[in-house]
Amino acid sequence: MVRNSLFRKSIRDMQNAKAQFISIFIMAALSVTIVTGLDSVWKTVEDNTNIMYSATNISDMWVYVSNPTEKQMWSISRIQGVEHAEKRFTLNAKSDLAGRPTLKVYAFSSQSALDRPILQQGSMRSKSGVILDEGFANKHGLGINDKIKLKLNKKWTTFTIEGLALSGEHIYSVKGTTMIMPDSSKYGFMIIHEDMLKGIYGQKIYNQISIRLSPGADASEVKNEIARVLGDDLIGTIAKGEDSSTNNIYANIGQFRTLSTIFPLMFFVVTALITQSTMFRLVENQRGQIGVLKALGYSKGRILWHYTSYGVYMGGLGALTGFLIGPVFFTNLLIPWLQLNLSSNQMSINYVNLAYSLLLILACTGGISLYAGLKLLKDTPAFLLRDKPPKEGSHIFLENLPWLWNRMRFSRKLIARNTLKNKMRLLMSVLGITGCTGLIVAAFTLSSMVEGIARYTYGVTYSYDHKIILDEKADSRYIHNKGLDGTVQQIKETAIEIIRPGGIRTMEQLTIFPLHSPLIHLQDVDGNETHLAQDGLTITRKLAQTLGVKVGDFIELKHTDKSYVKVPIRQIIYMATGQGMYMTDEFYESIGETFKPSAILVKWNQQPDEAFLASDYVDEYVDRVTQIEDTKGSTQVVYIAAVLLIIMGAILAFVVLYNSSILNFSERVRDLTTLKVLGFYQHEIRALVLTENILSVVFGSIFGVPLGKFIADVAASGMNDQLDLLSHIPFTTVVISGAITLLFALINNSVVAQKMRSLDMLEALKSVE
Amino acid sequence: MDFITFENVEREYHVGNSVIKAVDGISFGIHMGTINVVLGQSGAGKTTVLNLLGGMDSPTKGRIMVGGQEISDMSEHELTTYRRNKIGFVFQFYNLVPNLTVLENVQLAMEICEDPLDSKEMLIKVGLEGRLHNFPSQISGGEQQRVSIARALAKNPEIVLCDEPTGALDSATGRKVLKLICDSAESMGKTVIIVTHNALIADMANTVIHMKDGKIFGIQHNESPKDAEEIIW
């Protein structure tokens, strides 16, 4: 059979150039693995989040207001765009478990329709029963019928766990200022029956309104209407997406979306270049065979398909492998590290991008092969059957620089001419090395950025031993009179509603402390020491970006129980974590508020005052060392990512360098043999072939640095909205990344040198090429 | 005393399961500064002789001495040094480096040896003064072979080895190339060994070694070798 014999030929051709075709396969597989893998990470997160949002019937907006009246509720439900509104009560409460973890308590009535939990086990059978966060329960070894004690309204109340559940509001679950990454053992949620509130507070109380918007409603318009209805009673509104859970999920999705688009590009291009170099050479070497096939009467189409099929087989096989590996591997490896409490991790695949990547990879392999075939096919069989015209040498631009050219040794000239003659090969290896160095730089930068969070926040910004969250009854005077043996800094942390330029309402963190604080050391965006502005707001760089504001802009702040006050932004500072607004206590009082500390920072002169820490006046405390450890522990995902990046970089480097060396070598076997016969030593010949790789490493490493910074920035931007990661790349990182890349190149070179040893002088000289 | 001696030299090749004796126990001697031809049909083993002498291959048995040095038991590195300093090669297919110009091809060889001659002078000597900056692909076959000869001689080797130097050339060009090899070698006192299947070339040699099936079946000494230009084929 005609077809079979050509097929057999292609299989044998591929066997003869094993290394190259395996490389094409690896690169195609890697490209598709990365696209489909990263794609299915965000798609899986998005789909499962949406499943949970609809299963929990999550609200579109939450309004903070203390005990809204029936009239206010009625008015809100009449607002254009509000479909449903209901009251609820929610509060952070301390539990009696080890480490005193906090639970966010939600009080529900049987009529509550919004923000329902997704029950995983049991159900709320009695009014004294509670439903507990499943992840939290697991971490603390709690189950159905176990008891849990919570401090509510200054009293400890015991509840019986009757159900375990997940919540749409706690998919990404962080408490606030003392926590950077989710940790189910320290923070969770609990649902109690609203009738229980009567026993605890003496009456039914509410502090939130959950709102479901009608489809297409304008959230910021609704916010304005709500502000109008509630007037001074309003504390603030948060739309879905502005809350930290949804915000972080969207950031994760966005991050993987961006990475899945830009990141694999490099791999596709390298695939195309490897195919190009392999197929052009193969077709060129087979010009005689093409002539014979044509002379035998094979149609153009058949010959073209024959050569196209090489790429299609490898590309198709690679794509299939990539598709089989990518989604499973990436979702299983990465999603657990996102620390999301999803009801299901059912993998989703983004078929649209899968189709695109399949087409793209086939274009990079089959398409390039087709092009290689077309190049020769237009010649007549008679021309093809004749010997190939001899290889031409040509002058290169370096020769126009006599001061350089005349000083070069001949072996150097040979390397220069040869390298510049094969620009595509050089492009391939430089690009591959750029990618490799970029990935390594990104890996190191990401790790150091994340290490920098702890170092910066707890090494530069804050110098306290303990951060102590105070109970409501502790005030300035009490702290003052207490006379703790150490440096004490009172601070107030609160969330307030703001109206930013353009009239958009959001809730942001506001922290208040004195102008000169011995325990807080602020820095501006350039790393210079600075202080709070005395006559306005100081805000963090990342928040300024999010809000789209700059120094000189005005922001309206919601007064407690009063209307808004317009304050100017005077200063932008850099904070690694804890994005928000800052002002001095004097300025805070000057706008008519009262400074009452919510927390103190303490640097003890001697031992910590354990009696004070255990007292009723202290709600919660954390020491700096623990905060550093926690931060490091919760950011370990970055190290996994770093290892992954370095592995991908290594594959990229080895594949391109091995290919370009083998191509370089086999294209020049005859020249090299001549040199060997002339009396060149093995190491001199090796240098002729392998110096080019070192050249690629030099250029690639240089281009790799900005690429690495870019990858690191994208990866860092989606990590957490509370983090502001500065990706400045220290010189040592550049050197180390370059050294690792060079190491890869040297390993490759020694492998290729082994292959070159077997160069048979006698064979290569016998025949004309 | 002979400058070059082969003593019972054997070279076996293993091809699959069978063993082929390319050279089967040959012995001969060559005087310094002479022109010698190894003559035989293809497969006679003459190229193997050239490869052994050129240090590109080592015998399985026997001894090869060059200028009092035994080259048959040298390591690969020693052989390379030997090729570097003692041997000039001229190939049937020239084997110029296509990426280097004519001048650079000659300089390339000089760069590595101990006592090279001036490359430009050598090229002028072979009549290529107008082609110095051309690439090999831009000149004719005869010219390429002349570059190859210049390259071999510029290394100032003791021995010039030529493998079918006229094999790819027409007879007129071939004759000129042969004359060039012989004249230059003679004037510079080089020992020349030419391997060929062309019996007519033998007339210009001082010594002709006839080979067949890996064995020598005759060594003929010409009292008055012909000038290369008198040979007709």
Side-chain angles (χ1 to χ4, degrees):
Chain A
M1 269 258 304
V2 171
R3 211 200 147 114
N4 271 340
S5 57
L6 267 189
F7 181 69
R8 273 202 297 274
K9 171 181 171 301
S10 52
I11 296 296
R12 282 185 198 139
D13 280 343
M14 287 190 229
Q15 275 169 352
N16 289 339
K18 263 194 294 276
Q20 279 98 304
F21 282 99
I22 289 175
S23 302
I24 297 175
F25 167 77
I26 291 176
M27 287 311 301
L30 205 58
S31 310
V32 176
T33 300
I34 295 169
V35 176
T36 56
L38 293 178
D39 253 341
S40 75
V41 169
W42 67 258
K43 189 91 169 103
T44 300
V45 170
E46 189 179 70
D47 286 355
N48 288 306
T49 301
N50 287 337
I51 288 170
M52 275 186 77
Y53 282 173
S54 69
T56 58
N57 199 15
I58 199 165
S59 306
D60 294 310
M61 195 178 284
W62 297 273
V63 182
Y64 290 81
V65 56
S66 185
N67 289 315
T69 62
E70 283 310 310
K71 184 165 176 279
Q72 284 172 330
M73 286 305 293
W74 183 81
S75 301
I76 285 174
S77 66
R78 302 283 301 185
I79 289 170
Q80 171 93 36
V82 172
E83 194 176 284
H84 175 72
E86 61 187 40
K87 301 185 276 189
R88 70 173 182 180
F89 175 77
T90 174
L91 180 83
N92 277 344
K94 217 162 33 160
S95 71
D96 68 335
L97 297 164
R100 297 285 164 107
T102 304
L103 283 170
K104 185 157 189 179
V105 176
Y106 297 92
F108 269 57
S109 75
S110 33
Q111 279 92 50
S112 300
L114 296 173
D115 305 323
R116 306 286 305 174
I118 302 176
L119 279 167
Q120 302 292 305
Q121 260 185 67
S123 66
M124 208 194 269
R125 294 185 309 270
S126 65
K127 288 192 173 170
S128 64
V130 295
I131 291 170
L132 187 64
D133 186 327
E134 191 191 28
F136 182 88
N138 288 343
K139 280 277 163 69
H140 289 279
L142 294 171
I144 306 273
N145 293 331
D146 285 341
K147 307 271 188 230
I148 184 166
K149 248 173 152 179
L150 249 65
K151 194 180 183 188
L152 286 165
N153 198 22
K154 296 163 195 164
K155 284 175 297 202
W156 288 95
T157 311
T158 306
F159 298 92
T160 308
I161 301 164
E162 290 185 349
L164 299 178
L166 294 169
S167 156
E169 293 169 83
H170 286 261
I171 295 177
Y172 185 90
S173 185
V174 286
K175 187 165 54 175
T177 55
T178 51
M179 214 168 158
I180 292 176
M181 292 282 174
D183 184 345
S184 299
S185 66
K186 292 191 170 145
Y187 184 58
F189 69 91
M190 191 172 102
I191 290 162
I192 64 172
H193 197 280
E194 66 172 19
D195 287 352
M196 287 296 288
L197 294 174
K198 260 192 224 161
I200 299 166
Y201 291 91
Q203 59 173 37
K204 273 193 189 177
I205 59 166
Y206 301 97
N207 57 10
Q208 251 186 23
I209 306 171
S210 303
I211 289 174
R212 155 62 28 90
L213 298 176
S214 36
D218 178 353
S220 69
E221 201 46 51
V222 171
K223 274 187 181 180
N224 289 338
E225 284 301 305
I226 290 171
R228 201 183 46 76
V229 167
L230 295 176
D232 294 348
D233 289 343
L234 174 75
I235 297 168
T237 43
I238 285 185
K240 191 182 99 194
E242 290 164 7
D243 63 299
S244 78
S245 176
T246 312
N247 195 319
N248 276 296
I249 296 165
Y250 286 170
N252 282 150
I253 292 171
Q255 170 188 32
F256 281 103
R257 251 193 140 119
T258 316
L259 284 179
S260 75
T261 329
I262 53 151
F263 198 48
L265 256 182
M266 188 162 67
F267 291 85
F268 281 101
V269 174
V270 170
T271 310
L273 287 170
I274 288 184
T275 311
Q276 189 266 355
S277 54
T278 305
M279 286 311 293
F280 273 47
R281 187 176 145 74
L282 184 107
V283 170
E284 192 59 42
N285 283 348
Q286 296 200 349
R287 51 179 289 126
Q289 296 182 38
I290 296 174
V292 171
L293 288 177
K294 278 183 121 178
L296 283 173
Y298 275 88
S299 71
K300 252 186 177 188
R302 190 159 246 170
I303 299 174
L304 266 184
W305 165 246
H306 173 64
Y307 287 102
T308 307
S309 70
Y310 288 74
V312 171
Y313 293 149
M314 288 299 117
L317 223 61
L320 185 69
T321 312
F323 172 62
L324 289 177
I325 294 174
V328 175
F329 179 72
F330 276 86
T331 52
N332 282 315
L333 184 73
L334 293 175
I335 291 186
W337 287 102
L338 299 175
Q339 313 194 55
L340 304 176
N341 302 310
L342 291 166
S343 56
S344 153
N345 276 332
Q346 177 74 43
M347 191 174 75
S348 304
I349 285 160
N350 185 3
Y351 288 100
V352 180
N353 276 13
L354 173 67
Y356 281 136
S357 67
L358 198 65
L359 285 179
L360 193 60
I361 206 69
L362 286 179
C364 290
T365 53
I368 300 273
S369 307
L370 175 70
Y371 178 65
L374 276 174
K375 255 186 93 136
L376 274 193
L377 210 60
K378 57 179 187 287
D379 293 331
T380 62
F383 180 76
L384 288 172
L385 283 170
R386 236 177 285 147
D387 275 342
K388 187 170 70 171
K391 269 190 271 176
E392 272 180 41
S394 55
H395 293 282
I396 57 171
F397 71 94
L398 282 178
E399 289 170 64
N400 297 325
L401 312 169
W403 52 272
L404 181 67
W405 186 251
N406 291 337
R407 232 179 274 172
M408 282 167 76
R409 291 184 57 190
F410 283 97
S411 37
R412 295 273 153 73
K413 289 185 184 174
L414 195 60
I415 293 168
R417 282 239 178 81
N418 185 61
T419 301
L420 291 172
K421 209 179 122 190
N422 293 282
K423 290 190 193 71
M424 286 308 257
R425 193 179 64 217
L426 186 67
L427 184 68
M428 171 178 91
S429 42
V430 169
L431 210 73
I433 294 297
T434 303
C436 171
T437 312
L439 291 169
I440 297 174
V441 168
F444 281 115
T445 309
L446 265 178
S447 326
S448 79
M449 273 195 227
V450 165
E451 273 166 24
I453 302 168
R455 203 177 47 238
Y456 195 92
T457 307
Y458 304 114
V460 176
T461 310
Y462 296 112
S463 57
Y464 56 77
D465 291 327
H466 274 110
K467 177 173 182 176
I468 300 162
I469 310 292
L470 298 172
D471 190 82
E472 243 175 77
K473 65 185 173 195
D475 57 11
S476 261
R477 177 182 299 229
Y478 171 79
I479 296 300
H480 199 75
N481 292 342
K482 181 78 190 161
L484 294 168
D485 184 19
T487 313
V488 178
Q489 177 62 65
Q490 303 185 10
I491 64 169
K492 179 181 170 113
E493 291 175 318
T494 177
I496 66 165
E497 170 111 332
I498 66 160
I499 305 177
R500 55 171 121 149
I504 296 164
R505 289 160 198 271
T506 48
M507 279 186 90
E508 303 298 344
Q509 285 292 322
L510 174 65
T511 308
I512 302 120
F513 51 84
L515 180 60
H516 294 288
S517 168
L519 301 178
I520 304 171
H521 317 280
L522 300 179
Q523 295 196 306
D524 65 16
V525 290
D526 301 316
N528 304 313
E529 231 176 274
T530 187
H531 293 288
L532 290 178
Q534 281 172 275
D535 55 348
L537 268 183
T538 299
I539 73 171
T540 57
R541 187 182 78 142
K542 183 140 182 190
L543 184 64
Q545 278 171 1
T546 319
L547 298 181
V549 294
K550 55 184 189 306
V551 170
D553 287 349
F554 280 82
I555 285 184
E556 287 180 71
L557 303 180
K558 174 81 173 64
H559 259 292
T560 319
D561 304 327
K562 274 190 271 172
S563 188
Y564 291 83
V565 57
K566 218 170 190 179
V567 296
I569 296 167
R570 289 285 183 232
Q571 166 97 299
I572 307 252
I573 54 166
Y574 172 75
M575 283 281 204
T577 167
Q579 307 308 317
M581 309 180 293
Y582 295 79
M583 60 170 72
T584 63
D585 49 353
E586 283 175 10
F587 185 73
Y588 188 60
E589 304 230 315
S590 80
I591 58 171
E593 295 278 7
T594 323
F595 177 81
K596 177 177 179 290
S598 66
I600 54 171
L601 311 177
V602 185
K603 187 162 183 66
W604 304 102
N605 287 338
Q606 272 135 38
Q607 290 303 306
D609 186 341
E610 296 294 347
F612 171 69
L613 289 177
S615 76
D616 266 1
Y617 289 90
V618 171
D619 199 35
E620 191 185 347
Y621 62 90
V622 60
D623 67 292
R624 197 160 50 99
V625 179
T626 310
Q627 282 183 308
I628 294 174
E629 290 309 310
D630 283 358
T631 312
K632 282 185 179 162
S634 58
T635 48
Q636 279 189 348
V637 62
V638 173
Y639 300 110
I640 304 281
V643 170
L644 211 61
L645 290 174
I646 292 177
I647 291 174
M648 284 195 286
I651 296 177
L652 202 57
F654 282 123
V655 167
V656 296
L657 287 180
Y658 187 76
N659 262 281
S660 80
S661 340
I662 291 293
L663 278 173
N664 190 350
F665 171 59
S666 54
E667 263 169 25
R668 297 162 68 196
V669 163
R670 200 176 154 82
D671 295 358
L672 298 174
T673 314
T674 307
L675 297 178
K676 202 167 170 181
V677 171
L678 284 176
F680 275 72
Y681 291 117
Q682 192 64 38
H683 67 91
E684 292 169 320
I685 293 177
R686 204 156 54 213
L688 285 179
V689 175
L690 300 178
T691 305
E692 193 178 301
N693 286 342
I694 305 301
L695 214 68
S696 314
V697 169
V698 171
F699 285 115
S701 297
I702 294 169
F703 302 145
V705 176
L707 177 72
K709 185 176 155 58
F710 179 68
I711 295 172
D713 278 343
V714 172
S717 68
M719 244 165 50
N720 181 310
D721 64 344
Q722 281 302 306
L723 301 179
D724 187 0
L725 300 173
L726 282 185
S727 68
H728 66 104
I729 299 175
F731 188 64
T732 46
T733 299
V734 176
V735 172
I736 292 172
S737 307
I740 292 178
T741 312
L742 188 65
L743 179 73
F744 291 160
L746 293 178
I747 292 172
N748 167 75
N749 280 3
S750 76
V751 171
V752 176
Q754 279 305 312
K755 243 185 125 74
M756 282 172 64
R757 263 196 173 283
S758 58
L759 170 61
D760 187 347
M761 288 190 285
L762 310 179
E763 275 306 309
L765 289 177
K766 267 182 193 158
S767 60
V768 74
E769 229 177 45
Chain B
M1 215 193 102
D2 287 334
F3 177 53
I4 298 167
T5 54
F6 271 54
E7 291 169 29
N8 296 316
V9 172
E10 263 182 39
R11 180 65 174 102
E12 291 177 354
Y13 293 106
H14 294 264
V15 180
N17 287 327
S18 56
V19 175
I20 293 167
K21 280 194 177 172
V23 168
D24 191 2
I26 59 167
S27 303
F28 63 85
I30 283 173
H31 289 295
M32 200 170 195
T34 54
I35 291 171
N36 307 272
V37 167
V38 180
L39 191 66
Q41 295 306 309
S42 64
K46 53 190 194 308
T47 301
T48 308
V49 169
L50 198 78
N51 288 339
L52 290 170
L53 190 50
M56 294 197 283
D57 201 356
S58 293
T60 17
K61 250 188 218 166
R63 210 151 76 118
I64 303 169
M65 302 288 293
V66 174
Q69 236 185 334
E70 179 167 357
I71 65 160
S72 40
D73 64 352
M74 281 184 175
S75 71
E76 210 193 306
H77 191 82
E78 289 168 329
L79 280 176
T80 308
T81 312
Y82 163 76
R83 282 202 300 276
R84 237 175 197 221
N85 298 318
K86 301 253 160 83
I87 304 292
F89 268 105
V90 177
F91 304 97
Q92 179 175 5
F93 298 110
Y94 336 126
N95 287 35
L96 301 177
V97 180
N99 258 335
L100 294 180
T101 62
V102 164
L103 179 62
E104 287 162 352
N105 258 289
V106 180
Q107 286 171 329
L108 175 76
M110 293 165 39
E111 191 181 295
I112 55 169
C113 57
E114 283 169 346
D115 183 25
L117 303 174
D118 186 81
S119 47
K120 229 176 237 174
E121 253 170 49
M122 276 324 298
L123 283 165
I124 293 168
K125 198 164 180 178
V126 299
L128 287 174
E129 59 268 43
R131 295 294 205 181
L132 295 183
H133 300 293
N134 285 92
F135 284 99
S137 59
Q138 297 165 328
I139 59 178
S140 73
E143 285 172 320
Q144 289 193 49
Q145 194 59 298
R146 279 193 269 164
V147 178
S148 160
I149 293 165
R151 183 175 66 184
L153 293 174
K155 282 174 78 184
N156 203 6
E158 293 173 2
I159 304 168
V160 178
L161 300 176
C162 312
D163 192 358
E164 300 279 10
T166 60
L169 302 173
D170 63 75
S171 60
T173 316
R175 222 176 292 140
K176 279 186 201 153
V177 164
L178 280 176
K179 184 172 167 53
L180 183 64
I181 294 172
C182 295
D183 290 357
S184 345
E186 217 159 26
S187 67
M188 294 161 74
K190 310 290 178 208
T191 307
V192 177
I193 293 144
I194 300 170
V195 158
T196 183
H197 65 275
N198 188 340
L200 293 166
I201 293 178
D203 290 346
M204 53 180 269
N206 299 103
T207 309
V208 184
I209 299 168
H210 294 271
M211 285 192 73
K212 196 177 183 183
D213 296 333
K215 292 193 166 100
I216 294 175
F217 69 90
I219 297 181
Q220 162 201 342
H221 296 280
N222 289 339
E223 289 306 316
S224 50
K226 280 188 191 168
D227 192 273
E229 280 183 322
E230 296 167 36
I231 305 171
I232 298 158
W233 76 83

